[in-house]
Amino acid sequence: MEEAAAQNGSAGAGPAAPARPPATPEGMALAYGSLVLMALLPIFFGALRSVSCAKSKNSSEMPETITSRDAARFPIVASCTLLGLYLFFKIFSQEYINLLLSMYFFVLGILALSHTISPMMNRFFPANFPNKQYQLLFTEGSGESKEEIVNYEFDTKDLVCLALSSVVGVWYLLRKHWIANNLFGLAFSLNGVELLHLNNVSTGCILLGGLFIYDVFWVFGTNVMVTVAKSFEAPIKLVFPQDLLEKGLEADNFAMLGLGDIVIPGIFIALLLRFDISLKKNTHTYFYTSFVAYIFGLGLTIFIMHIFKHAQPALLYLVPACIGFPLLVALAKGEVTELFSYEESSAPTEVPGAPKDETTEASKKEK
């Protein structure tokens, strides 16, 4: 995962950059406070939406379940990918690599942002809006051997959301502006928390534990993580300028937080919300405990980084907090067995306040 880091001219590898004036205390407080807030939003709303996603019958919105085997392999796959990117940036022209990646994330970003804003935008459409239903269907074979490859249902409202997201995509592609980057980054994070589901708490512990080691090694053991994070021009991190008060929207001295440091703890927090709902006690103790733990861990990351003036692996602090705090609560309540025996197949009931997919609801009524 990319770490929380201040992108000052003296930091990182490569040729020395022109010296920048140090960020003011006000600018740093605004930057890091904004990063924390931006990290919390996709976790909170993504967790709520993951409850509805777990019950969805729409094939285009079915969650991807992460098993213990997937969790064990993930740090290895992530390490190979990170090292591969590092070598690519060392061997090939950074300009052409980032151009290719920009086009790739341009398409993914538009789709992710469209999916993110769709439930919110439905509230702004008038009741008499001419909403037509469409279906994108690709099949293979014929007759009884016919097999669906793609079956995606959408409507006119989804097309409007796609058009709005395309405007942001073009803005990002042409300007690489940090606001456009963050809109895509937030959309990727929220979709990740919503659609990636851990099948049980043990799998979550394996995944977080493995990535804990991964993050610490690649940040403290080598300069690979920092180099890739600063060379990679793609919305895989949230950024916020520390000189916003001085330069406005053209500020360029950024603090950053990798999306992995949001999504990985986020899917574990979302699992705990679904566990809370499965208990049917009308309390979300484990969800709120882990949510507060995330705030504590991220705040500690920023504090340590500020004290030692060195990029920090955020999962070094987030993983013990997000696992340890709920485990202590389970021990205090005598629910450790229930916590570790919970399986994702246990369908949760609907959480109060969770946003509904109005498109799906409307299609059900029509049927």
Side-chain angles (χ1 to χ4, degrees):
M1 305 305 101
E2 282 76 26
E3 67 293 337
Q7 286 185 294
N8 294 317
S10 59
R20 289 174 176 167
T24 62
E26 295 82 3
M28 292 178 63
L30 177 62
Y32 291 125
S34 299
L35 282 178
V36 171
L37 179 62
M38 286 192 292
L40 296 178
L41 289 175
I43 291 178
F44 186 83
F45 291 105
L48 292 179
R49 288 173 60 157
S50 76
V51 177
S52 301
C53 179
K55 301 190 304 173
S56 176
K57 303 300 181 184
N58 190 337
S59 60
S60 64
E61 297 177 358
M62 290 296 288
E64 182 73 25
T65 303
I66 301 173
T67 64
S68 56
R69 179 177 295 182
D70 298 328
R73 289 189 300 210
F74 196 87
I76 300 173
V77 174
S79 295
C80 293
T81 303
L82 182 67
L83 187 58
L85 285 171
Y86 177 78
L87 293 176
F88 264 93
F89 280 118
K90 289 295 183 182
I91 298 172
F92 300 104
S93 171
Q94 182 174 318
E95 179 184 355
Y96 294 115
I97 296 173
N98 278 319
L99 178 62
L100 181 63
L101 291 172
S102 293
M103 295 302 299
Y104 177 70
F105 281 100
F106 167 75
V107 176
L108 288 184
I110 289 175
L111 295 175
L113 186 58
S114 176
H115 181 264
T116 300
I117 66 174
S118 181
M120 295 179 288
M121 288 297 297
N122 281 331
R123 302 176 184 178
F124 294 97
F125 288 102
N128 59 350
F129 183 83
N131 193 34
K132 296 182 179 180
Q133 300 292 322
Y134 304 93
Q135 183 178 23
L136 185 63
L137 180 63
F138 286 98
T139 61
E140 181 181 5
S142 61
E144 296 181 356
S145 61
K146 182 183 291 186
E147 182 180 353
E148 289 187 1
I149 299 176
V150 176
N151 186 359
Y152 186 75
E153 298 178 2
F154 58 98
D155 54 28
T156 309
K157 294 179 181 179
D158 293 325
L159 293 177
V160 173
C161 293
L162 190 65
L164 293 174
S165 301
S166 297
V167 174
V168 178
V170 173
W171 181 26
Y172 169 77
L173 201 60
L174 297 178
R175 295 289 306 277
K176 292 293 193 303
H177 199 276
W178 60 271
I179 295 179
N181 173 90
N182 286 348
L183 288 174
F184 276 172
L186 288 169
F188 285 138
S189 300
L190 192 147
N191 277 274
V193 175
E194 176 187 358
L195 300 174
L196 292 176
H197 287 198
L198 296 163
N199 61 355
N200 55 50
V201 173
S202 298
T203 300
C205 292
I206 293 171
L207 180 65
L208 267 65
L211 290 175
F212 171 90
I213 298 172
Y214 159 89
D215 217 20
V216 172
F217 172 77
W218 288 112
V219 174
F220 286 150
T222 71
N223 69 337
V224 171
M225 180 80 78
V226 176
T227 302
V228 171
K230 292 186 176 183
S231 303
F232 204 68
E233 291 183 4
I236 59 167
K237 55 185 179 286
L238 298 180
V239 299
F240 200 91
Q242 299 180 84
D243 52 350
L244 179 69
L245 300 176
E246 292 80 19
K247 297 184 179 180
L249 295 180
E250 299 303 318
D252 58 359
N253 183 17
F254 294 104
M256 66 182 180
L257 179 68
L259 298 191
D261 299 326
I262 301 172
V263 175
I264 298 303
I267 60 177
F268 186 74
I269 293 171
L271 172 67
L272 293 179
L273 173 60
R274 298 192 295 275
F275 169 67
D276 273 323
I277 296 170
S278 73
L279 295 176
K280 299 180 180 180
K281 295 182 179 180
N282 295 322
T283 60
H284 300 150
T285 307
Y286 292 96
F287 171 66
Y288 289 123
T289 299
S290 58
F291 195 74
V292 170
Y294 182 86
I295 298 174
F296 170 78
L298 193 54
L300 184 60
T301 304
I302 294 171
F303 175 75
I304 297 295
M305 187 193 64
H306 181 68
I307 295 298
F308 291 98
K309 310 297 182 185
H310 187 277
Q312 296 294 312
L315 294 183
L316 173 63
Y317 310 97
L318 290 172
V319 169
C322 291
I323 293 178
F325 282 35
L327 189 56
L328 289 175
V329 171
L331 286 169
K333 299 180 69 174
E335 294 177 343
V336 175
T337 303
E338 290 88 341
L339 179 64
F340 281 91
S341 62
Y342 170 71
E343 287 287 338
E344 184 60 29
S345 56
S346 305
T349 56
E350 187 169 338
V351 59
K356 295 181 180 179
D357 187 335
E358 297 180 13
T359 303
T360 305
E361 293 295 323
S363 64
K364 287 180 181 178
K365 290 179 182 178
E366 290 178 6
K367 293 178 182 178

